[in-house]
């Protein structure tokens, strides 16, 4: 799916931005007495936090705009779990003395901002303008890359489509098996 591919590309760009900012700021990691390991790379911003929060921010907007669940409580639950995951990663980076609170906060800020910007750029510009063209390319067809932008409820649609296909396959298998049994009894 082109939306999933866009998320992966966004995550790679997000990581590149983090590397550029780390090398520009060049702030060391904290030195702690109980540190498990000593790092040679810079600490500002926290890459783990930035990547996790980018993921949380992007998927939050994806859940709000693209995921059509029947009950709003499920959206709230998924969004809460995403941000809890982001918070736990950020907390662990400080707890294990890999980063300072400021380094984690800057990583969270950059991840949030870039996650929101990337989502809006992809879903309200690229998806509308270029996804149909990309999905029609030979290489996209070869790798089964598709554009699901026009499907209102992708999960519901895929679930029902696969269930129908599975039922037809089971019906055909049962029909073939019963046909073979009938033929063998008549011989």
């Amino acid at each position: 799916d082109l939306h999933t591919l866009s998320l992966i590309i966004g995550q790679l760009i997000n990581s590149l931005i983090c590397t550029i900012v780390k090398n520009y700021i060049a702030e060391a990691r904290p030195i702690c007495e109980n540190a498990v390991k000593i790092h040679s790379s810079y600490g500002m911003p926290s890459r783990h936090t930035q990547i996790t929060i980018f993921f949380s921010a992007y998927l939050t907007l994806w859940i709000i705009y693209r995921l059509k669940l029947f009950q709003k409580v499920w959206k709230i639950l998924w969004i809460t779990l995403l941000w809890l995951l982001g918070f736990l990663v950020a907390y662990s980076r400080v707890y294990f003395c890999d980063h300072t609170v400021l380094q984690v906060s800057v990583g969270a800020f950059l991840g949030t901002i870039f996650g929101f910007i990337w989502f809006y750029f992809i879903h309200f510009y690229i998806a509308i303008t270029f996804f149909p063209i990309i999905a029609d390319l030979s290489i996209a067809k070869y790798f089964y890359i598709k554009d699901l932008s026009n499907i209102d409820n992708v999960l519901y649609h895929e679930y029902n489509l696969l269930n129908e296909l599975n039922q037809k396959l089971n019906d055909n298998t049962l029909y073939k098996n019963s046909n073979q049994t009938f033929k063998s009894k008549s011989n």
Side-chain angles (χ1 to χ4, degrees):
D1 173 34
L2 285 169
H3 289 284
T4 305
L5 191 59
S6 298
L7 172 62
I8 293 167
I9 291 168
Q11 197 63 279
L12 292 173
I13 294 170
N14 181 49
S15 186
L16 178 65
I17 289 170
C18 185
T19 300
I20 291 168
V21 172
K22 272 184 185 280
N23 290 326
Y24 179 75
I25 295 175
E27 182 178 299
R29 291 172 182 262
I31 299 172
C32 300
E33 292 176 19
N34 60 347
V36 177
K37 56 188 170 187
I38 298 173
H39 298 279
S40 59
S41 63
Y42 297 124
M44 173 70 89
S46 166
R47 182 184 313 275
H48 286 84
T49 302
Q50 186 172 335
I51 286 172
T52 307
I53 297 296
F54 169 89
F55 185 75
S56 298
Y58 185 95
L59 286 182
T60 293
L61 293 176
W62 186 84
I63 288 169
I64 291 169
Y65 287 104
R66 297 272 309 143
L67 188 61
K68 307 291 189 224
L69 295 172
F70 298 114
Q71 296 175 349
K72 199 177 215 178
V73 70
W74 288 107
K75 283 187 176 190
I76 294 167
L77 177 67
W78 280 112
I79 291 169
T80 302
L81 289 173
L82 283 170
W83 288 98
L84 180 63
L85 172 70
F87 172 77
L88 289 174
V89 168
Y91 177 78
S92 75
R93 304 310 290 165
V94 174
Y95 180 82
F96 291 114
C97 203
D98 291 317
H99 294 283
T100 64
V101 172
L102 180 61
Q103 292 170 347
V104 165
S105 299
V106 170
F109 175 76
L110 292 174
T112 301
I113 295 301
F114 188 65
F116 287 164
I117 289 170
W118 187 251
F119 177 87
Y120 283 111
F121 175 68
I122 291 299
H123 292 272
F124 297 113
Y125 177 68
I126 298 295
I128 295 167
T129 309
F130 296 107
F131 275 14
I133 296 167
I134 295 169
D136 204 36
L137 295 173
S138 298
I139 192 160
K141 291 177 182 175
Y142 179 79
F143 287 109
Y144 299 106
I145 297 171
K146 57 200 168 298
D147 175 22
L148 301 175
S149 300
N150 294 328
I151 299 174
D152 190 34
N153 190 339
V154 174
L155 294 177
Y156 180 78
H157 176 75
E158 284 186 350
Y159 176 82
N160 285 330
L161 191 65
L162 290 173
N163 275 342
E164 287 175 22
L165 180 61
N166 193 30
Q167 185 63 43
K168 287 179 184 177
L169 290 173
N170 285 338
D171 290 347
N172 280 342
T173 305
L174 291 173
Y175 176 73
K176 286 179 185 175
N177 289 341
S178 65
N179 221 4
Q180 289 171 352
T181 305
F182 179 72
K183 286 181 183 175
S184 62
K185 286 183 180 177
S186 26
N187 288 336

